[in-house]
Amino acid sequence: DTGVSQDPRHKITKRGQNVTFRCDPISEHNRLYWYRQTLGQGPEFLTYFQNEAQLEKSRLLSDRFSAERPKGSFSTLEIQRTEQGDSAMYLCASSLPAGEASYEQYFGPGTRLTVT
Amino acid sequence: AQSVTQLGSHVSVSEGALVLLRCNYSSSVPPYLFWYVQYPNQGLQLLLKYTTGATLVKGINGFEAEFKKSETSFHLTKPSAHMSDAAEYFCAVSDNTGRRALTFGSGTRLQVQP
């Protein structure tokens, strides 16, 4: 098991462009979370999936953001019409579905987005 | 609503000295508490967690933390700092609802001086 992976690790884009990030969770984890981390701050919750169902979205997730998890495996996070304020580290985490271990989230290395 | 406050955005210690990173939380339900470490340009790694049971929890790399309900605190300690401990440390609380999302503090950067 290689842990949670994210691709790309870095993305530089111009304002107004669309970007898409991918997250591959640990294989037996059916919960998947997206967080955003801005410079000097802790991560903030964006959304989460249980299997393929997106169960909650934070109010931080504007309508320019969309996340999917087809077939309950990998997930994608798309940002349309990027703005400079979208510049941040986007972190993905996964966890087991139930029991005390489900409270342990395992994080990927993140995708650092820079909007110029 | 839950919140986490980490006192001190930067802490500097000498190698071999005690490490103490402070965390206070606010939660309307019994909290599940976590400490994560983040090295530059990397994701977060779980150091330790408190869910139920023993209030003194031990984690990886010699770290431990004590849950004190009366003080709403979950401070992280290590008896003797090592150069490799230099990193950003985040305290987090999990909501005990179905989503179990983490609410993080703003982090404490630990510097270890030789």
Side-chain angles (χ1 to χ4, degrees):
Chain A
D1 189 347
T2 57
V4 179
S5 61
Q6 292 187 245
D7 184 70
R9 295 290 306 276
H10 303 275
K11 178 72 176 179
I12 300 174
T13 191
K14 294 185 177 180
R15 188 179 54 179
Q17 298 294 304
N18 299 344
V19 294
T20 300
F21 311 140
R22 177 180 170 127
C23 170
D24 286 87
I26 294 171
S27 57
E28 64 268 27
H29 288 184
N30 78 345
R31 282 183 172 236
L32 186 149
Y33 298 81
W34 285 99
Y35 292 84
R36 181 172 68 188
Q37 184 180 21
T38 53
L39 205 59
Q41 299 297 318
E44 296 174 290
F45 168 76
L46 292 178
T47 187
Y48 89 105
F49 293 82
Q50 179 144 322
N51 299 313
E52 66 277 7
Q54 186 176 18
L55 297 186
E56 186 171 334
K57 295 189 289 187
S58 160
R59 64 180 184 278
L60 294 176
L61 214 64
S62 77
D63 57 7
R64 296 185 297 106
F65 288 70
S66 62
E68 296 183 340
R69 194 182 181 196
K71 303 179 182 177
S73 56
F74 71 91
S75 175
T76 59
L77 178 68
E78 180 183 17
I79 309 174
Q80 296 182 327
R81 305 180 304 280
T82 52
E83 301 173 356
Q84 287 189 322
D86 297 331
S87 295
M89 175 81 88
Y90 290 84
L91 293 163
C92 175
S94 67
S95 72
L96 287 168
E100 291 240 330
S102 69
Y103 287 91
E104 292 185 25
Q105 295 184 22
Y106 293 83
F107 283 80
T111 294
R112 183 170 295 284
L113 172 66
T114 302
V115 181
T116 61
Chain B
Q2 297 174 300
S3 65
V4 174
T5 302
Q6 291 184 239
L7 297 176
S9 58
H10 289 82
V11 170
S12 182
V13 301
S14 298
E15 191 172 19
L18 171 71
V19 175
L20 171 60
L21 304 182
R22 299 179 187 274
C23 171
N24 289 87
Y25 69 90
S26 172
S27 176
S28 57
V29 297
Y32 282 19
L33 296 159
F34 305 82
W35 276 98
Y36 282 85
V37 61
Q38 186 176 35
Y39 297 98
N41 298 314
Q42 294 188 27
L44 282 75
Q45 180 183 10
L46 180 65
L47 277 178
L48 49 79
K49 71 179 191 289
Y50 168 78
T51 53
T52 57
T55 57
L56 181 63
V57 292
K58 296 185 184 300
I60 62 172
N61 301 338
F63 285 94
E64 61 182 37
E66 186 171 11
F67 169 61
K68 292 186 176 180
K69 184 178 178 181
S70 61
E71 298 177 8
T72 61
S73 68
F74 190 57
H75 301 331
L76 181 71
T77 61
K78 182 174 180 178
S80 177
H82 191 272
M83 296 296 290
S84 61
D85 294 327
E88 186 98 25
Y89 291 81
F90 293 95
C91 181
V93 60
S94 174
D95 60 59
N96 293 340
T97 63
R99 69 173 190 169
R100 300 173 186 174
L102 295 170
T103 299
F104 287 87
S106 55
T108 297
R109 181 166 298 280
L110 176 66
Q111 289 182 313
V112 182
Q113 307 292 343

